[in-house]
Amino acid sequence: MSVPSQMTQTALERLSPTNRVLKRAQYEAFAFSLYDGDVLIRNESHLNPADHEYRVTIVDGIPTTCECPADKRFEGPCKHRTAIAIRPTILDVATQMQLVADGGVTTKKAPLEPEDDTELQECDCQYLNDDFPCWDCVKTGRRELPE
């Protein structure tokens, strides 16, 4: 019995963003919060970040829609959906929240950010194929922008 390819693909592979969108999803300063099983994503790179906050709907572990104008206007995923797709921890937590809201088993959630910054944390941007770091890694000094 063969496994359908959609089940073996990562969220990023299923979205298949353009290189431009992928790079922006990596380097812009996004802040994430959970909201009823979906993710609110705020672009802290803007002068007025509150004006750049959008709700991304998560379905079966995939960011399927975003409230931003670009997601409605252009073909393919927007940078907000892509930013979530390259961060599997956020997708996992959103999926767990949906299960709990739907009557699933309640589990203790680990904090999204470590309390002790002295421990070197692994980042999802290291798995991307173009070696371009995310904004958090640049901001915290874990990685540098390529020249």
Side-chain angles (χ1 to χ4, degrees):
M1 183 169 153
S2 65
V3 177
S5 64
Q6 281 191 343
M7 293 184 75
T8 59
Q9 290 181 317
T10 65
L12 183 60
E13 290 169 334
R14 288 187 58 192
L15 290 180
S16 190
T18 64
N19 283 336
R20 179 178 183 272
V21 168
L22 180 59
K23 286 187 186 292
R24 290 187 71 190
Q26 291 172 329
Y27 71 75
E28 292 192 18
F30 291 114
F32 305 92
S33 57
L34 298 173
Y35 182 76
D36 289 340
D38 293 336
V39 178
L40 289 179
I41 182 168
R42 178 188 290 235
N43 192 338
E44 300 287 340
S45 300
H46 285 279
L47 184 60
N48 296 312
D51 294 339
H52 298 274
E53 182 175 87
Y54 305 101
R55 184 175 183 165
V56 176
T57 302
I58 309 296
V59 176
D60 295 328
I62 304 296
T64 56
T65 59
C66 179
E67 295 176 332
C68 78
D71 201 51
K72 293 169 185 60
R73 186 178 200 195
F74 300 108
E75 214 173 294
C78 66
K79 65 184 177 185
H80 309 105
R81 288 173 51 203
T82 303
I84 294 169
I86 63 176
R87 293 167 176 90
T89 303
I90 293 172
L91 280 175
D92 290 344
V93 172
T95 301
Q96 287 300 316
M97 179 182 266
Q98 289 174 347
L99 289 174
V100 170
D102 289 341
V105 177
T106 304
T107 60
K108 184 177 179 185
K109 295 179 186 174
L112 290 178
E113 292 296 321
E115 292 179 18
D116 182 7
D117 287 340
T118 59
E119 182 181 328
L120 182 60
Q121 296 295 315
E122 208 173 272
C123 182
D124 299 326
C125 72
Q126 73 184 12
Y127 300 111
L128 299 173
N129 61 0
D130 64 358
D131 221 19
F132 201 90
C134 68
W135 174 246
D136 282 341
C137 283
V138 173
K139 183 173 69 173
T140 60
R142 285 186 285 201
R143 295 186 63 198
E144 294 182 9
L145 289 173
E147 294 188 32

